[in-house]
């Protein structure tokens, strides 16, 4: 009998042990030391264009080879699984020590203590090399919470010069107002080619239309202090009508076969003009080189033709150190080496990008400007002179607000009542403000 | 001393005797050592499942209910907010919209699936063994295709340009339709692959139920001169009641929770016309704010209640019967 009890207890213990093992409750070390005694820094990079992964991997290998104290473990995470994977890791207490973070996510993260301040971890000279306007994106009165890697405008106009000429349009005079853009799209829509391509789903419109929201109304659909919605400004009716005309007259694809960030429809010749981020220059250069000789780049048209009104937000990426990381110093050292150190490898990166992205450091910008190839690049000139100076920073309010307004635009595009759609968005945004207690919480850049 | 020596009369016999009422005068059987031993063995055999259920179901569920009373942050101490998030979820129009989308998908998929499965199973029942085997394999094949793969296949079928559907419509001079970009058509576009994948296993379960009905019932009906529809109405359908019930509950709960198809095919759009409850909760969870974390957790718990209520209602209205075919 005693033996049988022992067996039962053993069986139960085995089951419990298996359960604990399955649930990840196994005993172990602190998880920050490799088998050969090096301190391990886990680095997650959101998946971008292929050349970026190659560059990051090369740099991580170089850093690991440059010293024998720290091993950076590099992991690429696809963009469409990033949010849930990161959140699940945070919930389990094993978030990456270093991660790529977009500018729009910095302030909400700072508000909940997600990032470690870099001021005491990184040499002040390295931080001071960040371009002043970009440093505002990542800083509060409490410190600097990310090291910027690059900036890239979210909305740029790409157009086919050969199709412009064939349609009787002047390739040297791209449209400058929304009305001109619509006219050009009408002239270019023929022979199975759509005149224009622009975001059409709420998920894409949510962020890609921020610049045009500023352009139309001079503000975003929420008060500056986040105290109330401001989505029913009559200027937004004109914005919604602009999108509706393009979609309703079938001047643009009727379904989003590719997300906005992917300029494949233009590269594949399905459309004569497209709105896309500046990163599309890199994609076209690398994936559709035959399209480059017939491609020109311009600032996206403005509501009334005024080229100084913003049409784009200045997005981009930074590296952050997790607020709960046990190896914050080692993580910050890696960031300082990668983004704040020597300029050569960063200059190489921006060259490889086809000058589709722009440095966030003064010294890298200067090094790039000194490069004759870079200064002669027509794309870089247009983007850096005609677009970047007039672009706005990405808003940092909760994504739900952006999505509500974008849903109103999408509804308008597909023929729903514009005024009613904007009013619905307005009340949804007010509801978000109330439930998430956002009034007065808009962060002030430091 | 062995259990058999202590109680020579087998307990099974006693139970059977008690069941047929043959020993009403006799005292009730004592709880014997053998019974205790049997119980112990039963408990031991059940214990792994109980432990696993405890670890993976009951503890997480209880902990989730507890955590839903807080606004959770992974970087700061949680803030106790009581039932605030329950109020937020229950007053969120988008939450109820997602439930409605789920119910609409159920209405599009489940009745069609049951009817198609019944018709195919009826056909399979009367076909020759060889033909039936071939057809069973054919109709089961989509079941082994993952939802993600099916989603991609159907996205290409629906493509406005170059899609199979619009190619066929073009033969009849019909203008291309962007099915998945049209808020009135997108959910129907998702219902088709849901039906396509699910009909195979539903048919086989239905067929198993049909084959369980004794032939003598049909033979007797034949002798009485009953036709096909009378036999179907008075014999097949009533005797499949438990199969209907099982299929109804499992299909309704699985369909209302459909996640992969709208995620891959439409991302829940156009403007939330295909955002099923699970996709809605998933999208909420992705937002990095503590509010979104607590909201998605509470919405998941309330979805659990909604699904439980729907299942209970089905059980209430379609009562199961014990087998009456003997």
């Amino acid at each position: 009998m005693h033996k049988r009890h022992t067996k039962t207890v053993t069986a139960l213990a085995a089951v419990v042990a298996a359960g604990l093992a399955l649930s990840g409750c196994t005993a172990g070390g602190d998880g920050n030391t490799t088998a050969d005694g090096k301190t391990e820094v886990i680095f997650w990079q959101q998946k971008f264009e292929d050349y970026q992964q190659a560059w990051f991997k090369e740099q991580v290998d170089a850093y690991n080879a440059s010293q024998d104290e720290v091993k950076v473990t590099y992991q690429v995470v696809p963009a469409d699984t990033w949010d849930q994977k990161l959140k699940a890791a945070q919930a389990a207490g094993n978030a990456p020590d270093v991660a790529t973070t977009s500018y729009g996510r910095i302030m909400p993260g700072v508000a909940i203590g997600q990032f470690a301040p870099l001021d005491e971890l990184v040499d002040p000279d390295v931080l001071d090399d960040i371009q002043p306007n970009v440093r505002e994106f990542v800083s509060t009165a409490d410190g600097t919470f990310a090291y910027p890697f690059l900036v890239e405008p979210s909305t740029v106009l790409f157009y086919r010069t050969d199709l412009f000429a064939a349609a009787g349009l002047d390739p040297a005079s791209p449209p400058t107002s929304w009305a001109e853009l619509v006219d050009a799209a009408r002239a270019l829509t023929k022979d199975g080619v759509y005149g224009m391509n622009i975001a059409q789903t709420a998920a894409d419109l949510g962020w890609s239309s921020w610049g045009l929201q500023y352009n139309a109304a001079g503000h975003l659909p929420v008060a500056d202090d986040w105290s109330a919605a401001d989505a029913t400004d009559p200027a937004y009716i004109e914005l919604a009508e602009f999108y509706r005309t393009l979609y309703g007259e079938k001047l643009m694809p009727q379904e989003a076969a590719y997300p906005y960030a992917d300029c494949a429809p233009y590269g594949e010749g399905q459309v004569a003009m497209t709105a896309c981020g500046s990163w599309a220059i890199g994609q076209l250069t690398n994936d559709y080189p035959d399209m480059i000789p017939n491609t020109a780049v311009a600032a996206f048209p403005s509501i009334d033709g005024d080229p100084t009104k913003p049409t784009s937000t200045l997005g981009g990426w930074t590296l952050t150190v997790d607020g709960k990381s046990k190896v914050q110093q080692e993580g910050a050292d890696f960031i300082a080496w990668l983004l704040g150190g020597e300029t050569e490898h960063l200059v190489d990166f921006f060259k490889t990008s086809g000058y589709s992205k722009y440095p966030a450091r003064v010294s890298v910008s200067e090094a790039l400007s000194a490069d004759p190839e870079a200064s002669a690049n027509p794309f870089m000139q247009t983007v850096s002179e005609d677009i970047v100076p007039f672009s706005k920073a990405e808003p940092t309010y909760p994504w739900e607000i952006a999505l509500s307004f974008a849903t109103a635009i999408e509804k308008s595009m597909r023929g729903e009542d514009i005024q009613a759609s904007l009013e619905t968005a307005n009340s949804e945004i007010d509801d978000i403000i109330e439930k998430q207690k956002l009034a007065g919480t808009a962060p002030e850049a430091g | 001393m062995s259990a058999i020596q202590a109680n020579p009369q087998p307990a099974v016999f006693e139970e059977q005797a008690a069941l047929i009422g043959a020993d009403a005068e006799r005292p009730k059987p004592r709880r014997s050592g053998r019974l205790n031993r049997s119980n112990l063995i039963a408990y031991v055999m059940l214990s792994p499942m109980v432990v696993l259920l405890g670890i993976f179901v009951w503890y997480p569920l209880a902990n989730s209910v507890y955590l839903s009373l807080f606004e959770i942050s992974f970087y700061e101490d949680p803030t106790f907010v009581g039932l605030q998030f329950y109020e937020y979820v229950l007053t969120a129009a988008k939450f109820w919209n997602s439930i409605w989308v789920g119910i609409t998908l159920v209405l599009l998929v489940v009745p069609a699936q049951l009817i198609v499965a019944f018709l195919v199973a009826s056909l399979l029942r009367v076909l020759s063994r060889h033909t039936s085997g071939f057809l069973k394999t054919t109709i089961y094949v989509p079941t082994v295709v993952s939802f993600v793969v099916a989603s991609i296949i159907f996205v290409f079928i629906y493509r406005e340009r170059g899609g199979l559907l619009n190619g066929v419509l073009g033969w009849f001079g019909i203008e291309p339709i962007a099915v998945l970009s049209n808020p009135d058509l997108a959910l129907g576009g998702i219902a088709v692959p849901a039906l396509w994948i699910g009909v195979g296993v539903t048919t086989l379960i239905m067929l198993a139920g049909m084959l369980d009905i004794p032939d003598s019932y049909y033979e007797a009906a034949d002798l009485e001169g009953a036709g096909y529809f009378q036999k179907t109405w008075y014999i097949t359908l009533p005797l499949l009641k438990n199969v209907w019930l099982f299929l109804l509950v499992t299909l309704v709960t699985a369909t209302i929770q459909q996640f992969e198809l709208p995620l891959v095919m439409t991302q829940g759009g156009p403007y939330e016309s295909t955002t099923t409850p699970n996709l809605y909760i998933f999208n909420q969870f992705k937002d990095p704010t503590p509010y979104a974390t607590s909201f998605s957790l509470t919405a998941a718990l309330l979805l659990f209640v909604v699904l439980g209520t729907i299942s209970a209602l089905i059980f209430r209205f379609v009562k199961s019967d014990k087998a009456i075919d003997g």
Side-chain angles (χ1 to χ4, degrees), chain A residues 9 29 34 41 54 95 99 145-146 150 165 197 200 229 260 271 274 314 329 342 347 363 372 379-380 431:
Chain A
V9 169
T34 61
V41 173
F145 290 87
L150 53 87
N197 181 49
Q200 60 174 275
Y260 172 82
V271 298
T274 190
L314 216 47
Q329 185 59 59
E342 297 296 323
V347 169
S363 55
F379 297 147
M380 182 168 176
D431 188 52

Side-chain angles (χ1 to χ4, degrees), chain A residues 56-248:
Chain A
F56 271 110
K57 185 173 184 324
E58 192 183 325
Q59 299 307 319
V60 168
D61 289 344
Y63 183 72
N64 287 337
S66 71
Q67 40 74 47
D68 51 13
E69 298 291 321
V70 174
K71 178 179 184 292
V72 176
T73 302
Y74 170 61
Q75 192 176 343
V76 179
V77 179
D80 55 354
T81 61
W82 175 273
D83 287 326
Q84 60 268 32
K85 199 168 159 54
L86 180 63
K87 207 161 178 181
Q90 289 168 342
N94 53 18
D97 303 299
V98 175
T100 47
T101 306
S102 67
Y103 290 110
R105 290 281 173 88
I106 301 293
M107 294 304 171
V110 170
I112 56 171
Q114 187 181 341
F115 308 121
L118 299 178
D119 307 78
E120 290 181 8
L121 302 172
V122 173
D123 183 344
D125 291 344
V126 173
L127 292 177
D128 290 343
D129 196 24
I130 301 170
Q131 301 214 25
N133 62 328
V134 181
R135 191 164 178 180
E136 284 182 12
F137 300 173
V138 297
S139 305
T140 69
D142 296 326
T144 307
F145 290 87
Y147 201 95
F149 177 31
L150 53 87
V151 291
E152 44 193 353
S154 61
T155 313
V156 174
L157 181 70
F158 296 82
Y159 63 97
R160 288 270 298 272
T161 49
D162 54 336
L163 295 182
F164 258 57
L169 301 169
D170 180 7
S173 304
T176 56
S177 67
W178 292 355
E180 285 179 21
L181 180 81
V182 170
D183 287 342
R186 286 182 183 130
L188 290 162
T189 301
K190 55 185 172 187
D191 304 329
V193 175
Y194 287 109
M196 182 59 189
N197 181 49
I198 198 166
Q200 60 174 275
T201 64
D204 279 341
L205 286 161
W207 58 275
S208 68
S209 70
W210 280 326
L212 299 183
Q213 293 169 32
Y214 273 120
N215 192 279
H219 61 81
L220 293 168
V222 63
D224 287 345
D225 62 355
W226 298 359
S227 60
D230 194 3
T232 49
D233 188 319
Y236 287 138
I237 294 177
E238 209 170 331
L239 175 68
E241 280 172 348
F242 168 62
Y243 277 102
R244 173 185 281 198
T245 305
L246 289 171
Y247 189 82

